[in-house]
């Protein structure tokens, strides 16, 4: 079964997002998992955070947890969608893909321990 693995919310200002959502919901943030362009929310299920961008979208970006990013990228193309080359980070492999109608989401293959 494929499940939502995590998601991100775009923001133009990480510090403002921290103040607003921390003040609104009482969220705390994991500084060890955060960077200047990513703010990780502590203890959420599924995990998520804020990504700094120049132009924010008004909807979250979804990452579906999968066992094999490369195989699913091939399958996306077979079904008429598009897939970017997977990228690697400490949390695993991810690839931004879009369906055959242009709706984008990501595939995430967690690194061991995630």
């Amino acid at each position: 079964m494929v499940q939502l693995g995590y998601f991100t919310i775009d923001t133009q200002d990480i510090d403002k997002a921290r103040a607003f959502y921390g003040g609104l919901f009482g969220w705390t943030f994991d500084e060890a998992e955060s960077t200047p362009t990513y703010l990780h929310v502590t203890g959420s299920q599924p995990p998520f955070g804020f990504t700094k961008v120049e132009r924010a979208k008004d909807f979250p970006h979804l990452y579906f947890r999968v066992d094999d990013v490369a195989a699913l990228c091939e399958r996306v193309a077979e079904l008429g969608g598009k897939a970017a080359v997977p990228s690697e980070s400490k949390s695993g492999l991810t690839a931004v893909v879009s369906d055959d109608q242009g709706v984008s989401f990501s595939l995430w293959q967690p690194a061991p321990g995630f």
Side-chain angles (χ1 to χ4, degrees), residues 6-10 38 47-51 57 59-63:
Y6 70 96
F7 64 94
T8 58
I9 299 172
D10 288 353
Y38 177 73
F48 75 99
F50 295 87
T51 302
K57 300 180 297 252
F59 53 88
H61 187 81
L62 305 177
Y63 294 76

Side-chain angles (χ1 to χ4, degrees), residues 63-88:
Y63 294 76
F64 291 98
R65 183 181 186 127
V66 300
D67 292 328
D68 189 339
V69 164
L72 283 176
C73 284
E74 289 179 18
R75 187 70 178 134
V76 164
E78 289 170 3
L79 293 169
K82 295 181 182 178
V85 174
S87 62
E88 190 169 0

Side-chain angles (χ1 to χ4, degrees), residues 8-26:
T8 58
I9 299 172
D10 288 353
T11 183
Q12 292 178 301
D13 189 314
I14 292 285
D15 292 330
K16 282 185 174 183
R18 177 193 313 267
F20 181 86
Y21 289 97
L24 180 64
F25 297 126

Side-chain angles (χ1 to χ4, degrees), residues 6 12-13 15 32 34 45 53-54 58 66 70 90 93 98 101 109 112 114:
Y6 70 96
Q12 292 178 301
D13 189 314
D15 292 330
S34 297
Q45 285 302 324
V53 296
E54 288 190 30
D58 61 354
V66 300
K90 67 180 181 178
L93 292 172
S98 61
Q101 297 180 65
Q109 181 181 330
F114 270 84

